[in-house]
Amino acid sequence: MLYIVPTPVGNLEDITLRALNVLRKVELILAEDTRTSSVLLKHYDIHTPLRSHHKFNEHQTCEREAEEIAAGKEVALISDAGTPGISDPGFMLVRACVQRGAEVQCLPGATAFVPALVDSGLPCDRFFFEGFLPQKKGRQTRLQQLAQAEHTLILYESPYRLVKTLEQLAEYLGADRQASVSREISKLHEDTQRGTLDELIAHFTATPPKGEIVIVVAGK
């Protein structure tokens, strides 16, 4: 059995009782960063062994890990924050397990874009999760495609690239397009700014952002 276990995106209390029980009972926890995950496990007095599973090694290790799971090992996969597979490692291991007939269970839990979407005040009945835009190749083409989308758009971004991304969104989608920027979700300094893309550019140019960021943009 492979358990996909969401972990808190901010407040350590944002984890389910079931998730804690799974992390205690499995034989091994695969973690994106064992140092980060050790903080969570120590907080809840969980002593299950940890092994690294991240985007730089998953191509080399997921086949071996899937073989162990298919042979009967109970393993949990966690990321630094949120649900594995959502802009985090996870897909390759799940696919390898499915191909081998191993059982996979994904627990419900924390994902950063859901509270950001609902908090934005923009329509959330239909939305498109883009995640991170391409850094270089294909970025312009992707922005042109997103400009035509009629549903609410959701993007992840680094604080260091936020203003640049907002400027590009304004260029391709229109400076008067309504949007919101949520940062530090579920943490002490959680904040959501709403307005046109132009207004958000002005705000974050004057006040450089910190922390993890979710951008939500109105559809065409």
Side-chain angles (χ1 to χ4, degrees), residues 7-23:
T7 53
V9 297
N11 193 312
L12 290 181
E13 294 182 2
D14 292 337
I15 191 167
T16 67
L17 293 174
R18 183 184 173 201
L20 294 174
N21 288 334
V22 166
L23 294 177

Side-chain angles (χ1 to χ4, degrees), residues 85-150:
I86 305 298
S87 291
D88 276 324
F91 159 69
M92 293 183 66
L93 180 58
V94 170
R95 179 178 62 183
C97 288
V98 169
Q99 290 171 343
R100 287 162 174 76
E103 191 169 353
V104 178
Q105 284 189 8
C106 182
L107 280 61
T111 303
F113 78 79
V114 174
L117 169 64
V118 176
D119 198 37
S120 70
L122 297 170
C124 48
D125 54 336
R126 295 177 66 235
F127 59 88
F128 182 85
F129 175 70
E130 174 68 14
F132 288 97
L133 287 166
Q135 284 301 302
K136 295 179 181 178
K137 185 178 180 181
R139 188 178 179 95
Q140 181 178 347
T141 300
R142 194 69 191 129
L143 285 164
Q144 290 171 341
Q145 294 169 341
L146 293 176
Q148 303 306 314
E150 296 182 355

Side-chain angles (χ1 to χ4, degrees), residues 19-192:
L20 294 174
N21 288 334
V22 166
L23 294 177
R24 288 190 177 102
K25 79 171 187 176
V26 294
E27 302 168 64
L28 175 69
I29 298 172
L30 299 174
E32 185 178 6
D33 186 328
T34 55
R35 295 165 300 180
T36 300
S37 298
S38 293
V39 175
L40 175 69
L41 299 184
K42 183 178 180 181
H43 182 79
Y44 285 105
D45 196 28
I46 296 171
H47 305 284
T48 308
L50 283 169
R51 182 192 295 169
S52 293
H53 181 89
H54 47 72
K55 66 180 181 179
F56 301 109
N57 74 357
E58 61 178 338
H59 288 80
Q60 291 76 38
T61 62
C62 75
E63 297 296 325
R64 179 195 70 195
E65 290 158 351
E67 290 288 351
E68 292 179 358
I69 295 164
K73 197 167 190 175
E74 288 208 328
V75 175
L77 174 66
I78 61 177
S79 61
D80 289 349
T83 301
I86 305 298
S87 291
D88 276 324
F91 159 69
M92 293 183 66
L93 180 58
V94 170
R95 179 178 62 183
C97 288
V98 169
Q99 290 171 343
R100 287 162 174 76
E103 191 169 353
V104 178
Q105 284 189 8
C106 182
L107 280 61
T111 303
F113 78 79
V114 174
L117 169 64
V118 176
D119 198 37
S120 70
L122 297 170
C124 48
D125 54 336
R126 295 177 66 235
F127 59 88
F128 182 85
F129 175 70
E130 174 68 14
F132 288 97
L133 287 166
Q135 284 301 302
K136 295 179 181 178
K137 185 178 180 181
R139 188 178 179 95
Q140 181 178 347
T141 300
R142 194 69 191 129
L143 285 164
Q144 290 171 341
Q145 294 169 341
L146 293 176
Q148 303 306 314
E150 296 182 355
H151 35 258
T152 303
L153 304 171
I154 304 168
L155 302 94
Y156 285 165
E157 192 49 277
S158 156
Y160 309 107
R161 295 190 298 266
L162 175 62
V163 172
K164 177 184 175 182
T165 296
L166 290 174
E167 289 172 344
Q168 290 177 323
L169 288 169
E171 178 184 351
Y172 286 90
L173 279 64
D176 60 347
R177 187 78 67 94
Q178 290 292 316
S180 75
V181 173
S182 295
R183 62 180 190 85
E184 296 289 77
I185 290 172
S186 187
K187 297 179 182 178
L188 181 63
H189 300 293
E190 179 176 352
D191 176 65
T192 295

